[in-house]
Amino acid sequence: MRIAHLVLPLALIAGACDSKDTKAAASEAVEKAKSVFADFKQGAQKELGEAKTSLEELKAKAAQAAQEHKPELDKLVSDLEVKRQELATKLTELKDSGAEKLDQAKRDLEPKIAALKEDIRVALDKLKP
């Protein structure tokens, strides 16, 4: 849900009310936006945590793989870990973002996190005995 869609109707309603109601509506809109951000951030952090756990599993399986496949698997693990760290960094940088940047970040990060998890799943499936 776009945060602007939450804030705009509240702002319009607030315009029709006196200043006390306006402040209350503005405060409510800010709290709603904070809540939406917190929910997104918490969910994304959970997803990245799951990806980290899966990467650790992949790393352990790669260590047990045939010697001829180890360099390839080590590089794959390393590349996936770099992607995970980049996504975690972007998520951390969102702390000071406004509603517009949050919407853009959600559209940007959600598919990238899903793709990372899928890449890890595919790699784990390839290593199954």
Side-chain angles (χ1 to χ4, degrees), residues 86-129:
E86 287 173 354
L87 293 171
T89 299
K90 285 181 181 182
L91 185 61
T92 302
E93 291 170 353
L94 288 178
K95 186 168 59 171
D96 300 322
S97 297
E100 256 183 54
K101 287 191 177 194
L102 177 59
D103 284 337
Q104 180 59 41
K106 282 178 70 172
R107 287 190 301 271
D108 184 42
L109 288 176
E110 286 175 339
K112 288 181 180 179
I113 291 171
L116 172 66
K117 288 183 73 176
E118 178 63 16
D119 290 346
I120 294 169
R121 186 195 63 75
V122 167
L124 284 169
D125 285 349
K126 287 181 180 178
L127 290 175
K128 285 186 178 174

